[in-house]
Structure formats: C-alpha cells, structure tokens
Amino acid sequence: MSDSWWYQHDDERVVWKGRPRLSAALPDIIVGTAISVFALVGAVSVDLWLLAGVPIGVAVLSWGLLRVRRTQYLLTTRAVWAKRGVLGRTVRRVHVDKIQNTSFSQSVTGSFFGYGKVLR
C-alpha cells in the first residue's frame, strides 16, 4: 500500500499525482460572492431579513472550494485513479488499457502556465 485511497502493484510506479487548480472553482466563487453581496446590499437598502442570504452565498463559495480541494488524481503505469468527495468519498480506477478516444484542449494561457483539459 502506498497511500490510503489507492493500491500499488509490485511493478507499478507513479507517473503523475495532482489535483485540479483552484480556478476550477471560479464559477462557484463568483456565484457565492454575488449572492452574498446582493444579500448585503438588499439588507441595507430593503429589509434586514435579506441578510439571511449571506450564509447561503458563503456556503456556495465554500462548497465549490471544498469540491476542488477534495479531488485528487493519480496516474500510474497501470491505471488512472480519481478520488472525489466532500462529505463522502468516491474512488475510481480505470486501467490504462481501457482508455481510448481521448484528446486535450489547451488555451494560450494554459500553454504558458502548463494546464489544460482532458476531453473524453
């Protein structure tokens, strides 16, 4: 056993280990911030009860960040592993022989900073 969420065969070695960039949570961060700001503005200008929207906005923002931070990927010489989950945990393993028809997309900034998207 090399880690608590994946197992390693004798001749298997880790090629890459990583997680998504925080920019993957950007939509949740924008929506959560917008909900919180609108709730604050509404509470000041309309009714104090709208202040109840602030925890909702913070929850959306936090959930997006947690979802990204609690995702891990592992590529070995035999398989691709993915671990996801905020409240629970899901681990998927796909043997390298089963992977087909994949491609990737990389923007100009992705080329510069070394990231992209793997498409299936």
Side-chain angles (χ1 to χ4, degrees), residues 13-108:
R13 65 181 173 80
V14 175
V15 177
W16 178 81
K17 187 175 186 178
R19 58 181 67 231
R21 294 185 184 259
L22 283 177
S23 61
L26 196 57
D28 295 319
I29 292 170
I30 291 170
V31 169
T33 303
I35 290 171
S36 297
V37 167
F38 285 132
L40 283 171
V41 170
V44 169
S45 61
V46 178
D47 191 3
L48 203 55
W49 282 99
L50 292 175
L51 208 59
V54 172
I56 294 170
V58 170
V60 169
L61 187 146
S62 300
W63 185 263
L65 286 173
L66 280 173
R67 184 179 48 81
V68 169
R69 293 306 303 159
R70 301 273 300 168
T71 300
Q72 291 181 324
Y73 299 111
L74 180 76
L75 174 63
T76 68
T77 52
R78 286 183 165 215
V80 176
W81 295 80
K83 180 179 89 163
R84 292 185 179 108
V86 175
L87 299 177
R89 179 169 57 177
T90 302
V91 177
R92 288 194 68 172
R93 176 184 186 268
V94 178
H95 199 275
V96 173
D97 293 342
K98 301 288 182 187
I99 298 173
Q100 60 184 1
N101 297 333
T102 58
S103 61
F104 71 94
S105 169
Q106 198 172 34
S107 66
V108 173

